[in-house]
Amino acid sequence: QLGYSEFIQNIVQQETNAKTERSIRYRIEESKLPRPYKMLAGFDFGFQPKLNKKLVLQLATLHFFDQCQSLLFIGDPGTGKSHLAQAIGLIACQKRHRVLYTTCSDMLNDLNQGVYEKTLLTRLQRYVSPDLLLIDEMGHDSLELEVTKEAHLLFKVINERYNKNKPLIFTTNVEEPDWADYLGDPISTKAILDRIFHHSIKVEIKGPSYRKYEGEKLQRQYAQDTEEP
């Protein structure tokens, strides 16, 4: 019952929608974000009442991205840093930006391997070229300690993105004064901190571990289920 022009318009719109959906799926897969994907709606703000919810929701609009600013999530393990960082990375994918997720240890080991194989420049571009780089979990993996002497490799990534005005999202449980000791290179660390904090929005999460809460909840549940009548 449609007119010819309306019929063509509907067909074109459906094709446009399908192309957009395919593009978003490709961006998400390309990002290497861990599954299951973290959603902002799945974050329990009530569990972290000290967290500035209004700030997080504002960050989710990607205004920081448009302003070429970066995000730095700092807090104890289990407080939701990675959840929020990955959720914002997913939103960027849905806006069809090129995003790359990596843990700090994986990136440093990859770059360190590039030094020995003389492929450092090629590997470095992998972390510099995306619109948004998400470096997760600095301080979580003991593998990082094996390559802390290569702190200058982390500096190379940070510096290249800084010079190109490309934002990044960084999560860590290492407090700022402890970075030099952790990375083992005070000079590189000072340069890294200078560039990270210059154009970064710092989000500190001070609160309990959600993973610990979930574990204790599970223990209580099984204890109740196994109690004798």
Side-chain angles (χ1 to χ4, degrees):
Q1 302 299 317
L2 296 176
Y4 179 76
S5 61
E6 188 177 359
F7 172 77
I8 292 298
Q9 184 178 6
N10 286 348
I11 291 295
V12 171
Q13 186 61 54
Q14 289 179 28
E15 176 60 26
T16 300
N17 294 341
K19 184 176 181 181
T20 299
E21 187 177 338
R22 289 195 299 269
S23 176
I24 291 173
R25 281 203 304 267
Y26 173 76
R27 290 299 183 203
I28 294 175
E29 292 173 3
E30 180 188 45
S31 72
K32 307 301 180 184
L33 282 165
R35 294 174 183 254
Y37 300 125
K38 297 292 189 279
M39 308 288 288
L40 196 59
F43 187 84
D44 188 354
F45 285 96
F47 189 76
Q48 299 293 359
K50 294 183 180 180
L51 177 63
N52 189 337
K53 180 179 180 180
K54 184 177 180 180
L55 171 61
V56 173
L57 295 179
Q58 183 183 21
L59 297 176
T61 66
L62 300 188
H63 179 70
F64 77 94
F65 183 93
D66 297 332
Q67 299 298 315
C68 298
Q69 298 166 340
S70 296
L71 305 183
L72 178 61
F73 289 94
I74 302 178
D76 293 330
T79 53
K81 304 181 303 297
S82 294
H83 187 132
L84 292 176
Q86 292 174 31
I88 292 174
L90 184 62
I91 292 172
C93 290
Q94 292 167 342
K95 298 291 184 181
R96 291 191 284 178
H97 296 296
R98 288 189 61 212
V99 177
L100 177 64
Y101 170 91
T102 180
T103 64
C104 191
S105 61
D106 285 347
M107 183 181 72
L108 288 177
N109 279 297
D110 181 45
L111 294 176
N112 199 39
Q113 188 68 29
V115 173
Y116 291 104
E117 296 180 357
K118 301 187 185 303
T119 58
L120 178 60
L121 291 180
T122 301
R123 292 172 186 254
L124 186 62
Q125 283 305 307
R126 179 170 183 251
Y127 304 102
V128 174
S129 60
D131 302 327
L132 177 64
L133 176 65
L134 201 167
I135 304 176
D136 199 8
E137 298 182 349
M138 190 191 97
H140 286 252
D141 200 322
S142 60
L143 288 176
E144 293 170 27
L145 298 176
E146 299 176 10
V147 292
T148 50
K149 63 182 183 297
E150 307 292 355
H152 68 281
L153 295 177
L154 177 59
F155 170 75
K156 284 181 178 292
V157 174
I158 301 298
N159 187 55
E160 285 289 320
R161 295 193 64 85
Y162 178 84
N163 291 335
K164 295 178 182 294
N165 288 322
K166 287 191 169 184
L168 61 85
I169 300 178
F170 206 102
T171 78
T172 180
N173 62 2
V174 181
E175 294 290 342
E176 182 182 348
D178 300 327
W179 280 41
D181 290 338
Y182 186 82
L183 292 175
D185 186 341
I187 296 177
S188 293
T189 300
K190 184 176 180 180
I192 289 169
L193 288 170
D194 183 59
R195 284 156 178 77
I196 286 182
F197 282 94
H198 185 200
H199 294 304
S200 287
I201 301 168
K202 184 178 176 182
V203 182
E204 291 190 80
I205 307 179
K206 301 293 184 181
S209 168
Y210 194 78
R211 283 191 288 268
K212 181 180 179 181
Y213 163 76
E214 288 281 278
E216 292 174 348
K217 181 180 176 181
L218 186 63
Q219 287 299 112
R220 290 194 300 269
Q221 177 185 334
Y222 271 86
Q224 292 174 356
D225 292 343
T226 55
E227 285 181 356
E228 294 184 4

